[in-house]
Structures are given as C-alpha cells and as structure tokens.
Amino acid sequence: MERVAVIGVGQTKYEKGKKQNFSEMVYEVTTKALKDAEITTREIDNIVSVSSDFWDGRTISCMAIQDAAGAFGKDTSTVEGDGTFGALYGMMRILSGSFGVTLVVAHHKGSESSMSGITNTAFDPLVERKLGIDAISSAALQARRYMTATGVTERQCALVSVKNHGNAMRNPLAQLPMEITVEDVMNSEVLASPLKKLDCSPVTDGACALVLAAEREAKKLSTNKKRVWLMGVGHCSDAYRLGDRDLADTRALEEASESAYEMAGVGPEEIDLAEVYDAFSYMELMWLEGLGLCEEGMSGEYMERGYFNMGGEIPINPSGGRLSSNPVQVAGLSEMAECVLQLRGKAGKRQVKGAKIALAHGINGMCGQSHCVFILGR
Amino acid sequence: MPFGTGENSSIEKQSEVRELGDWKDEVEEIVFPGKISVPYSWTVGSTLSKWYAQIRDDAEIWANKCAECGMVFVPPKIKCINCYRDMNEWVKLPGTGTVETFTVVSYYEPKIHPRKPPFVYAVIKMDGADTGLVHFIGGVKPEKVKVGMRVEPVFEKERQGNILDIRHFRPIA
Ligand SMILES: [Zn+2]
C-alpha cells in the first residue's frame, strides 16, 4: 500500500478568550502549515475540516471557514469529531487514489459558549440528558469505576496532572504551564468526586492544520527532514450508553491500538513517545493500559516510578497534554502536530532525544466511546 | 484555478489606499453576545415509549432480553448491541440494584441540572439485567454513598413518562 506523509503542520497558541474569530484562527494555521510545507494553496487538492456545530453555534460550521482554509473552488468535506478522525479521513481520501495533497484543519473556541451545556447535549435526549449529566460528571463516574476496578489511587491520578502541567512549561503553545505538586491537585476544588479541578482539562481556544500527501507527492514536494510518515492507524467504537459499557473496560482502545500497531509493523515497546488523550488525569492512566504501553492496572505504579516522565522510559504527553490545553476536536490533531515536531527533532526544550516512532491517540464521544490511534515515524 | 479575477482591483487606483501595518494591535475587539434557543419535539420510539409507559402507569421498571445471546438491557434496546437482533422478550425487573460507580457533584449548572448540588449520580447495575442505569442517588447523605451499596427506586407521585418519573434510587434499609 502507498504511504501517506505529514509534510506540514501549523498551530495557534492554545489559550482561553482568544481575540481571533474562527476564520482568523483557521487562516493562521493554514498559512503556517503551508509555509511549513513550503507549498501554496495551489498545491492543495482538497480540504478536510473538523469542527462542531454546537460549539460554534452555527449549523454547517465547516462551510463558514472554507475561505480561511483556502477551500474556495476546491473539494471539501468535514468530520465532526476529534481531529485524529479528520486525519484518518484525509489519509483515506489520499489512499483511495482519488485525491492529492490534503489539508486537514480543525478549530475550536471553547471560551465562547458553555462546556457543560454543550457536552450535556451529547447525551440521549430520550434518557440521560434530562438528568443533567455532562462531560465532567460522566468522567467522574468513569474515574471512580476505573479506580475501583484497578486500585489506582487519586494521588496516582494527581501525578499525571503534575507531570503534564510541568511538561507544558517547555511548550510555548500550551495554555497552562504550571509547576504544581500532588498536594495542589488533591487540594484543588472538588467538582465531581473523585475529580478535582486540577484533574480536569481547561476550556481552550485554538486551531491546528496538517498537510498530508501521498508518498510520491510527498517526496516531490518536501525534504526528508520535514516528512513524517503515518505508519499505522486504527479505530474502534464502544457502546453509546454509559450503562451498556463497563466504564473501566478499554476494549475499543485495545482494538484500535492493535490494528494501528499491526499496520505500522511495530509493537508498543518500540514507541519512543506518545500523546495520549488526557481530558482528565485518570484517562491518561487508563488509556496507557488500553494502548498496551503498560500492563493492566499497573499505570499508577509506573507513573510513581517516573516511567512516563520526560527522561523516563516512554515520555507521555511531552506537549503538556489536554490537561494543559484542551481545544476539543483540535486536540487530537495537535497531538499529531506534536509527534511530527518531535520526530523532526524540532520540539525545542521538550525534545525527546532520538525519537523515531511516536503515537497519537484521539477520543470521540463521552468517556472515550471511540478511539483513533496513529503511529507516526521517520 | 482561482475563481476570482481581481478585475475590480483597478478601483484601488482611484481611491485612497492606506497601509496600516500595526492596525491589529490597536483595534478594539468587538464581541456579540448571542443565544440559540430552538424548540424540538423528540420522538421517543416504540421501545422506549413502552418502557416509559410502564414506569408512568405501573411504577415498574422493565428490561428487554436478546433471544440469541441472552443479554438483558435496561433501558431497553431496539436491537441487541452484540447480535443486532430484534428484541421482543420483555422482563419485569425487581427495580433493585447495586451502585457500580457514583459521583458527588459539587458544581451547579442551573441550565442543565434538575437539582441543586451536592447531588449524586450513579451507574446502578440493575438486578435481573446485564446493564447499568444512570440515575440519581437520594434519601442519603452524599458522603454515605458507597460502591456496592444496594438501592431501590423511589417514584414520583405525578409521573410524566420520562426518566425523571424515577425521583432517585435510595439505599435499601
Ligand atoms: Zn444479543
């Protein structure tokens, strides 16, 4: 099968209360990604945009940013979900043989609306929505279920927040770089037990764009220094209703990651760094097990041993993760951008030395209903 | 192939063109407040309509069972999520269950929360079913709620045919 490469990346700074509107953010990252790829809109054949109508407060929100994405007069299509699924769709379009160089661009402005109100509408209006459940309260149900099933402690989860906010200190794009302690996390305001404020990701604005190209075009347009290959991808979904799942079970992620490893022809032991979807601190520990990056129920202990720290066995979320900046939908795409920078050796002060293979993991739906896993390599 | 041709750009020659390099630093950013309020009427469908009617009229919680894999679902399913088979076997549940996980919510979002914090959500593994029901735990101090706690439903006196006809689940004395 032909390979697909990332030949350009562009990101905004991730922050709350951005002055730019949706289009201005998309202009910024599209321009940056094209400049990074050293191409112009003329070389872009088609565009995949990623956004959510509810977050944007307008229907067909993808259409409104098409000028900004350089899609005027071109083929364009949309994914409403995490950015990893947008990259997956872009990759599939290229592999179909019908599309050339593809721009994947995601935008999000969490600070313009209500996180609680919007995530509540993700629940079934016929059943759970009336209870008022939202992203934080449903995650709290999953957090306790995971802790009960595995014995992982709140303090071990707090370590994830300490590590990721600390990593963000070395990422100029991150929203919340902070030197904090486990005590700070444990003493932060309880939102929905066992989740405290510092176990939860912030409300963030930002955008990210990737330029994807098939092997032949990638080699023509870009240099070896810039190119990063999408070696493997896998995706899988679990049941919609929370009660139909065991919330501590990571079966969908196991399926997704196994197919990604198989396609890439590598195993979890070969991963040099990973960007894992830590919308909440416990999620990083849970997903690390589902990704096969540590044995089941052991991630808390590994975290204590510094296994996932910068300089540890496998640095997890060197960017600072979603705990430090969480532009929903954009998040997974920004993880891939971070992997690209790391694999190019251009991640600045947070560079994982000698990184050759990286993993990016996105989720869609409440409590990680579906997962998309990418393996990227030089 | 660009769509626009820039034919009108000659207008610039007649009008005043000013180069404002730093205008973005000085501009006053304007924000429009807005609100979207759209009425909907969501059709509940035959499976959940039957379920809600039984809660409303008889204060009974029913589930349905897959004839192929035997899995019992509450809320009931249109089709089994494992076998993709129609679900025609209905089972009356005792209504009791066990708290599988819970959270005490301390923040308040008046637009979505039907009650004031602190309140407790739980996934209740229902006796006689293989799935959990998400609902409130009440009739007990939030700090007393535990995983594994046995609970039973408390129904509202006036019932409308929706999930809030069950006021909450309370510990079995
Ligand atoms: Zn079945």
Side-chain angles (χ1 to χ4, degrees):
Chain A
M1 186 166 33
E2 191 173 30
R3 293 191 296 172
V4 174
V6 182
I7 61 168
V9 301
Q11 298 180 81
T12 59
K13 174 159 174 62
Y14 299 111
E15 56 195 340
K16 196 176 173 179
K18 241 184 191 335
K19 296 291 183 209
Q20 290 167 301
N21 68 21
F22 303 124
S23 290
E24 286 168 331
M25 295 195 306
V26 170
Y27 271 116
E28 180 184 331
V29 295
T30 301
T31 307
K32 281 178 171 172
L34 293 174
K35 193 174 171 213
D36 183 47
E38 296 173 63
I39 59 171
T40 68
T41 49
R42 276 192 298 279
E43 278 80 40
I44 298 290
D45 166 77
N46 76 106
I47 288 96
V48 172
S49 64
V50 178
S51 62
S52 156
D53 291 1
F54 263 54
W55 286 106
D56 278 19
R58 52 173 113 178
T59 50
I60 1 177
S61 56
C62 53
M63 286 296 126
I65 53 89
Q66 296 304 9
D67 287 4
F72 186 46
K74 291 182 177 167
D75 177 81
T76 178
S77 190
T78 297
V79 167
E80 204 268 18
D82 181 63
T84 45
F85 290 89
L88 165 67
Y89 182 32
M91 179 186 187
M92 282 168 21
R93 293 187 127 208
I94 291 171
L95 291 176
S96 74
S98 302
F99 297 91
V101 179
T102 302
L103 177 82
V104 183
V105 60
H107 72 269
H108 176 77
K109 285 200 83 178
S111 67
E112 291 194 347
S113 55
S114 152
M115 188 281 291
S116 207
I118 287 168
T119 58
N120 173 246
T121 63
F123 288 92
D124 191 347
L126 307 181
V127 187
E128 291 90 353
R129 194 185 293 180
K130 272 186 191 295
L131 301 171
I133 196 160
D134 65 6
I136 292 176
S137 50
S138 60
L141 291 171
Q142 184 171 44
R144 190 177 317 271
R145 175 68 195 128
Y146 172 61
M147 290 179 196
T148 307
T150 60
V152 158
T153 65
E154 285 185 54
R155 295 185 72 86
Q156 288 172 329
C157 293
L159 276 170
V160 175
S161 182
V162 171
K163 168 178 72 69
N164 292 356
H165 285 294
N167 287 353
M169 301 283 287
R170 292 175 291 272
N171 182 1
L173 298 182
Q175 180 181 348
L176 293 178
M178 289 195 287
E179 261 182 274
I180 51 169
T181 64
V182 167
E183 296 310 320
D184 292 332
V185 181
M186 296 300 290
N187 294 329
S188 63
E189 180 193 352
V190 179
L191 297 179
S193 67
L195 298 180
K196 281 86 58 195
K197 195 170 181 200
L198 287 172
D199 288 309
C200 306
S201 51
V203 168
T204 305
D205 301 339
C208 178
L210 301 187
V211 181
L212 307 182
E215 183 157 9
R216 208 148 20 110
E217 281 174 302
K219 286 185 170 166
K220 205 165 66 190
L221 293 169
S222 77
T223 62
N224 201 21
K225 275 200 305 209
K226 281 276 172 78
R227 272 194 301 270
V228 167
W229 300 104
L230 300 179
M231 297 169 67
V233 62
H235 40 98
C236 185
S237 180
D238 206 325
Y240 171 56
R241 231 180 263 298
L242 300 183
D244 287 351
R245 294 183 237 163
D246 176 346
L247 291 174
D249 192 332
T250 59
R251 60 189 178 181
L253 179 55
E254 288 161 36
E255 284 286 329
S257 59
E258 276 162 25
S259 11
Y261 291 131
E262 193 185 327
M263 181 174 169
V266 301
E269 64 289 344
E270 289 167 78
I271 303 297
D272 295 313
L273 70 108
E275 283 282 320
V276 175
Y277 209 105
D278 56 331
F280 300 91
S281 57
Y282 78 89
M283 278 191 175
E284 181 172 308
L285 296 175
M286 203 175 149
W287 306 146
L288 282 169
E289 294 167 12
L291 287 163
L293 294 174
C294 101
E295 298 106 86
E296 227 176 281
M298 291 301 290
S299 57
E301 276 187 58
Y302 277 47
M303 192 64 65
E304 285 175 337
R305 279 192 254 150
Y307 195 89
F308 305 120
N309 292 355
M310 295 300 284
E313 299 291 317
I314 317 170
I316 303 297
N317 289 325
S319 71
R322 272 38 61 199
L323 284 169
S324 302
S325 338
N326 190 14
V328 185
Q329 283 99 36
V330 178
L333 213 56
S334 77
E335 292 183 355
M336 295 177 75
E338 173 69 12
C339 291
V340 168
L341 296 176
Q342 290 283 353
L343 294 169
R344 285 177 181 171
K346 296 287 181 197
K349 285 185 188 157
R350 62 187 190 282
Q351 182 64 47
V352 175
K353 284 203 186 74
K356 289 198 170 59
I357 300 176
L359 181 150
H361 158 241
I363 64 174
N364 228 3
M366 288 301 147
C367 300
Q369 186 191 343
S370 72
H371 299 262
C372 185
V373 177
F374 272 97
I375 315 278
L376 301 92
R378 284 305 299 268
Chain B
M1 187 247 351
F3 274 12
T5 58
E7 272 165 16
N8 294 326
S9 60
S10 60
I11 292 168
E12 284 179 16
K13 286 172 194 135
Q14 291 134 39
S15 54
E16 190 188 0
V17 178
R18 277 189 294 173
E19 197 65 43
L20 295 177
D22 55 355
W23 65 273
K24 277 191 183 168
D25 300 331
E26 288 164 16
V27 72
E28 177 205 342
E29 301 286 354
I30 297 168
V31 175
F32 291 163
K35 190 177 190 174
I36 299 176
S37 177
V38 184
Y40 285 86
S41 53
W42 281 295
T43 301
V44 174
S46 40
T47 305
L48 281 173
S49 291
K50 176 170 166 59
W51 191 59
Y52 282 130
Q54 279 157 332
I55 291 173
R56 182 191 61 202
D57 302 341
D58 309 317
E60 289 174 356
I61 301 173
W62 287 67
N64 64 2
K65 183 177 179 178
C66 172
E68 194 165 322
C69 72
M71 197 159 160
V72 178
F73 294 90
V74 62
K77 287 274 172 221
I78 299 165
K79 283 184 187 283
C80 174
I81 57 171
N82 301 313
C83 315
Y84 206 72
R85 262 187 74 121
D86 286 343
M87 306 278 287
N88 295 318
E89 223 176 292
W90 287 81
V91 188
K92 184 184 158 188
L93 300 181
T96 50
T98 305
V99 172
E100 193 170 70
T101 180
F102 71 93
T103 177
V104 183
V105 176
S106 328
Y107 61 96
Y108 187 38
E109 290 286 346
K111 289 267 164 52
I112 64 164
H113 287 159
R115 54 197 67 176
K116 286 199 172 156
F119 59 81
V120 181
Y121 289 126
V123 177
I124 299 145
K125 167 68 182 51
M126 298 293 286
D127 293 345
D130 295 298
T131 63
L133 191 63
V134 179
H135 218 293
F136 293 108
I137 301 292
V140 57
K141 287 193 173 135
E143 60 273 22
K144 298 277 185 209
V145 178
K146 295 267 180 297
V147 169
M149 186 178 252
R150 298 279 301 145
V151 292
E152 63 187 3
V154 176
F155 293 92
E156 294 289 355
K157 288 208 170 60
E158 299 287 319
R159 294 188 291 271
Q160 321 286 329
N162 66 53
I163 195 70
L164 296 176
D165 284 354
I166 304 171
R167 184 186 301 161
H168 55 237
F169 284 77
R170 70 174 174 209
I172 297 174

